Amino acid sequence: MRAGALLAIGLTSLRRNLATSVAVIVTVAICLTLLGAGLLLRAQAHTVDGFLLDRIQAVIDLDDNISGAERDALAADLRADPLVQAVRYEDKAQAFERFRRDFRNSPDIVSGVNAADLPASFRLTLADPRRAGEIITGYAGRDGVDRVRDQRALLAPLYRILDACTIGAFALAAVQALAAFALIYTMIRVSAHGRRRETAIMRLVGATNGTIRAPFVLESAVAGMVGGLFAAAALIAGKIYLVDHRFARQTAFPLFGWDAVWAAVAGVLLVGTGASAAMASVALRRHLRV
Amino acid sequence: MIRMTSVTKSYHSGTRPALDDISLEITAGEFVFLVGPSGSGKSTLLRLLLREERPTSGVVEFAGRDVASIPDRRVPLLRRQVGCVFQDFRLLADRTAAGNVAFAMDVTGRPRHVVRTVVPEVLGLVGLAGKENRYPDELSGGEQQRVAVARALVARPQVLLADEPTGNLDPATGAGIMNLLGAINRVGTTVVMATHNAALVDTMRRRVVELEHGTLVRDQASGGYEPAP
């Protein structure tokens, strides 16, 4: 069948079942927006991950009473440790400078602290930051060591929130996908009933099964794609509003970029079109005799 | 062209079969009337030829091929060789005469330039030149049936099955459709026509196959609607 003739039949059918088509488009759009949001939250987790792996080091806070010999021995051990890529010593004054820089937006906090309150430390760049636990067990409790901190662990709550939001978004998307399937099923049933005369004629004149089914699948795929376009618009709007404006000035960790958005947009458009067509094919088995 | 050997078709076990042990051969180029009261099995016989149904037992052959054994994906090819028209015309109300005929070509994958050439030709052939752009509700019953015949002919079928094609038409219009089917038959298309129209059968004097309660009770060359006394 010619593409033009096929498209004409599919679009006419969409227009005739306008109310059902709109319901399908809205449901698919919500489902795909949630799916896209889940994908972007995952991208955000990866972005934070990459940032932490690049930047954050394990920190060995030193006891104020540490002797010079103990400190030198510790430094020598750290430099010899294969887990440690680089070691930097930060004295109390430098620690205070960094503290003032990190909390420059909170002068009340800075005014309550002075250099003596902050420990000197060894700041470590690790060969593999995921093995920070081994550093902690290896150096905690040594003479002159106050405590060993894995900076990455500090962000565990953030990871937990991102993970929970991602799972939540995917779960809601799955529920919406069920609703979308029910609606597409109904749309195909209504459409097959409305076009039963047409499909009967198609069968009689020798149209192939594929040709008879194609307009229905196309109708559903177009509805899915339009839903996908709305979802894509929502994701782009979300990126512009939240990432580029609302949270543009926060510096705790970087936010996902446009590459993640385009990947999510491509994902929702593909899933929207493909899954809607597949759902229509399933519904056709039940409602269209060929 | 068409051969039925001991064909029986039962819809529900325990009830009388719709067709009971029918054997029949129709050669290429024949014109055959299928007569008999309602429920005698005429439509079932046509449905078997179209592979709308499969026989419960026996063999239905078309052009030397067992119709029941044709794989599902090849059935559309069979239906392109067997055109059909019905009492209720089965036209699409939202398409013009030309649109209805073009639809049959579009959905069987014929190129646009072929559709543009063939549709007016075929409509002219069935006597509808100048009425290509009329919608079914702007055409008389006879004209609607002519559109249906044109739609059946565009695929150049070897056989045309007609199930009560004059059933909804007045006698004069019915005679017009009959003449059209006669003309189609004269150029080589085999025509099998189920009908209750005694006057037409009596006038045409063609082969008559009569069914009663699913059994073949008469197969007569140049017969009338009623068996000769």
Side-chain angles (χ1 to χ4, degrees), chain A:
Chain A
M1 191 172 181
R2 287 196 327 271
L6 176 69
L7 198 66
I9 295 176
L11 292 181
T12 304
S13 195
L14 258 183
R15 211 174 46 238
R16 275 192 203 145
N17 301 326
L18 193 62
T20 325
S21 306
V22 168
V24 168
I25 288 170
V26 170
T27 314
V28 169
I30 294 171
C31 171
L32 292 177
T33 304
L34 286 164
L35 176 70
L39 291 174
L40 289 180
L41 283 165
R42 268 183 43 162
Q44 179 58 44
H46 282 302
T47 307
V48 174
D49 233 11
F51 167 74
L52 296 184
L53 293 184
D54 279 352
R55 297 278 196 80
I56 294 286
Q57 305 156 321
V59 178
I60 299 180
D61 289 334
L62 302 179
D63 195 282
D64 286 349
N65 303 320
I66 189 169
S67 69
E70 282 170 342
R71 198 180 70 199
D72 291 345
L74 183 58
D77 286 352
L78 286 169
R79 286 195 179 95
D81 194 326
L83 286 175
V84 179
Q85 200 177 55
V87 183
R88 187 168 64 81
Y89 176 70
E90 185 180 77
D91 64 21
K92 283 174 166 287
Q94 288 166 331
F96 185 60
E97 268 315 300
R98 195 174 45 74
F99 180 80
R100 284 208 317 196
R101 197 172 60 241
D102 287 349
F103 289 88
R104 63 188 175 282
N105 295 327
S106 310
D108 292 346
I109 297 175
V110 175
S111 65
V113 175
N114 58 51
D117 297 327
L118 297 170
S121 62
F122 283 113
R123 302 183 77 80
L124 313 178
T125 306
L126 303 181
D128 180 359
R130 292 181 190 84
R131 295 172 70 185
E134 294 173 40
I135 295 287
I136 294 173
T137 50
Y139 294 90
R142 270 180 67 148
D143 290 340
V145 171
D146 181 22
R147 61 175 178 160
V148 184
R149 289 182 281 137
D150 172 13
Q151 294 288 67
R152 206 161 168 263
L154 293 179
L155 287 162
L158 174 68
Y159 279 106
R160 277 202 296 276
I161 290 169
L162 283 176
D163 283 349
C165 290
T166 306
I167 291 167
F170 283 150
L172 281 175
V175 173
Q176 281 290 317
L178 272 179
F181 178 63
L183 274 168
I184 286 173
Y185 196 82
T186 308
M187 178 174 84
I188 293 298
R189 198 181 66 188
V190 171
S191 187
H193 183 76
R195 292 182 46 221
R196 63 193 184 284
R197 192 178 187 89
E198 198 173 297
T199 50
I201 292 168
M202 286 168 111
R203 262 192 306 123
L204 282 175
V205 299
T208 59
N209 292 353
T211 302
I212 296 172
R213 286 182 166 151
F216 293 97
V217 174
L218 184 80
E219 177 182 350
S220 184
V222 167
M225 194 179 68
V226 173
L229 287 173
F230 279 116
L235 295 179
I236 291 169
K239 154 79 173 154
I240 291 171
Y241 174 68
L242 292 174
V243 176
D244 295 350
H245 288 94
R246 185 89 169 75
F247 297 115
R249 306 186 74 162
Q250 69 82 30
T251 52
F253 48 83
L255 298 170
F256 60 86
W258 280 108
D259 52 345
V261 178
W262 299 134
V265 163
V268 299
L269 282 175
L270 273 176
V271 170
T273 311
S276 300
M279 287 174 182
S281 301
V282 172
L284 281 173
R285 283 172 207 281
R286 174 82 176 74
H287 292 297
L288 187 67
R289 196 171 74 92
V290 291

Side-chain angles (χ1 to χ4, degrees), chain A residues 2 16 197 201 203 206, chain B residues 52 80 90-91 94 106:
Chain A
R2 287 196 327 271
R16 275 192 203 145
R197 192 178 187 89
I201 292 168
R203 262 192 306 123
Chain B
E52 291 266 301
R80 289 176 203 180
R90 301 198 187 172
L91 299 180
D94 59 347
D106 282 339

